[in-house]
Amino acid sequence: MAGLKEIRTRISSVKTTRQVTSAMKMISAARLKKAQDAILQIRPYVNKLHHILISLGASLEDADESVYTQQREPEKILIVLVSSNRGLCGGFNMNIAKKSVELVHEKYSLQLQLGEVDFMCIGKQAEKQVKLRGMNVVESHHELFETLDFDHVYLLAEKIMKSFADGKYDKVELVYNQFLNAATQINATEQFLPIELETEEQGKQFYDYIFEPSKEYMIKELIPKSLKIQFYKAMLDSHAAEHGARMTAMHQATDNATELLKDLTLQYNKVRQASITNEILEIVSGAEALKG
């Protein structure tokens, strides 16, 4: 059985750890509120914009003339993997890294064998995982989450769109954590490029809007804007999901530390009681020996 000094050291260590995890939980909870408000505010706008684009595409015969709707044989693939720069958030980063690797093996196994699958990583943690699995990481943009606003995301989205328009990549996939609530994150994969305007959603009513100027002009203007907003929404989703995952992980760690402290305190009291009992027995035995 461990001695009193060793148990006291462990108790002190666990108390320090509990203070750290508790502080991290409170920080993540405060940041989560702001991140959650941001993603919940932008979702209705993104959904409505997507609905308008589908309505336009369904009635526009030459919608495929847009460079961002061109369907090409997927020979060169870009996977945009979004994770976090920091750890201590449970399986948040590991799960999304596994999801991206599964996507590549399931949909692009031939391109993977030919070395035609590239990764663009946003967030340090998942980049480590995909590199360990032998994937080709061509770009990293870890600075994006340091100043997460539309102006910075806009520039990166434009760069990706230009790569597709120039023919460098034939398909671009987004892999990120979608925020559901503080305790739940969904591993999401979305085809970023090319977009498919002609896919009407079943059971939804589409309106015949009157446009000024023409539908063709609106398509030309709305598609790039929609892509940038979609990319920004993915960043906000991942950002909110990260803080939710970290808050949950730190809450569980704090609870575990509290339970461990109870066990260690009980163990300490038992050892201390046994030590006192032994000392009393030694004193009594010594006294009896002197009497005899």
Side-chain angles (χ1 to χ4, degrees), residues 111-163:
Q111 289 84 350
L112 181 62
Q113 294 173 8
L114 298 174
E116 299 295 333
V117 178
D118 291 339
F119 274 78
M120 175 185 288
C121 293
I122 302 172
K124 298 177 183 178
Q125 298 300 318
E127 180 182 358
K128 299 175 185 177
Q129 301 298 326
V130 296
K131 281 184 175 179
L132 285 174
R133 290 168 170 79
M135 300 299 172
N136 183 36
V137 178
V138 292
E139 287 187 46
S140 300
H141 294 276
H142 308 322
E143 75 286 350
L144 204 63
F145 283 121
E146 300 300 328
T147 52
L148 184 59
D149 53 42
F150 185 71
D151 291 336
H152 290 83
V153 176
Y154 176 97
L155 296 175
L156 183 56
E158 272 196 335
K159 183 178 181 180
I160 296 171
M161 291 160 62
K162 187 177 185 301
S163 296

Side-chain angles (χ1 to χ4, degrees), residues 12-205:
S12 176
S13 176
V14 172
K15 281 183 177 178
T16 302
T17 301
R18 185 176 65 172
Q19 288 176 344
V20 172
T21 56
S22 179
M24 292 184 67
K25 181 186 78 171
M26 289 188 290
I27 292 171
S28 292
R31 291 177 176 174
L32 173 63
K33 180 63 171 65
K34 184 178 179 181
Q36 182 177 348
D37 289 344
I39 185 60
L40 293 180
Q41 287 171 7
I42 201 174
R43 274 179 181 168
Y45 176 74
V46 174
N47 293 336
K48 188 62 178 179
L49 184 59
H50 176 69
H51 181 79
I52 293 173
L53 279 172
I54 291 181
S55 298
L56 279 169
S59 60
L60 193 62
E61 295 179 356
D62 57 350
D64 57 352
E65 291 182 1
S66 171
V67 66
Y68 301 117
T69 61
Q70 291 178 359
Q71 302 291 330
R72 303 193 291 257
E73 187 66 26
E75 296 179 356
K76 189 73 174 178
I77 312 299
L78 177 66
I79 307 295
V80 181
L81 175 59
V82 186
S83 63
S84 70
N85 286 332
R86 299 175 180 85
L88 297 177
C89 46
F92 179 84
N93 294 302
M94 178 69 75
N95 292 339
I96 201 63
K98 287 181 179 179
K99 183 71 174 181
S100 65
V101 174
E102 289 174 3
L103 172 71
V104 170
H105 283 293
E106 290 174 6
K107 294 180 65 176
Y108 308 114
S109 56
L110 178 60
Q111 289 84 350
L112 181 62
Q113 294 173 8
L114 298 174
E116 299 295 333
V117 178
D118 291 339
F119 274 78
M120 175 185 288
C121 293
I122 302 172
K124 298 177 183 178
Q125 298 300 318
E127 180 182 358
K128 299 175 185 177
Q129 301 298 326
V130 296
K131 281 184 175 179
L132 285 174
R133 290 168 170 79
M135 300 299 172
N136 183 36
V137 178
V138 292
E139 287 187 46
S140 300
H141 294 276
H142 308 322
E143 75 286 350
L144 204 63
F145 283 121
E146 300 300 328
T147 52
L148 184 59
D149 53 42
F150 185 71
D151 291 336
H152 290 83
V153 176
Y154 176 97
L155 296 175
L156 183 56
E158 272 196 335
K159 183 178 181 180
I160 296 171
M161 291 160 62
K162 187 177 185 301
S163 296
F164 177 81
D166 293 343
K168 183 178 179 180
Y169 295 106
D170 301 307
K171 186 173 284 190
V172 181
E173 298 267 10
L174 274 176
V175 185
Y176 64 98
N177 284 286
Q178 194 174 73
F179 176 78
L180 186 60
N181 54 53
T184 308
Q185 301 82 39
I186 302 172
N187 298 146
T189 60
E190 293 178 3
Q191 181 175 307
F192 185 59
L193 287 166
I195 62 175
E196 299 176 346
L197 293 180
E198 69 279 6
T199 306
E200 292 196 23
E201 300 175 20
Q202 295 294 329
K204 285 198 172 184
Q205 182 179 3

Side-chain angles (χ1 to χ4, degrees), residues 1 4 265-281:
M1 183 178 291
L4 287 172
T265 301
L266 180 61
Q267 184 181 353
Y268 177 81
N269 290 334
K270 286 182 178 179
V271 173
R272 185 168 176 270
Q273 184 178 8
S275 177
I276 293 172
T277 302
N278 288 333
E279 290 177 2
I280 293 173
L281 288 174

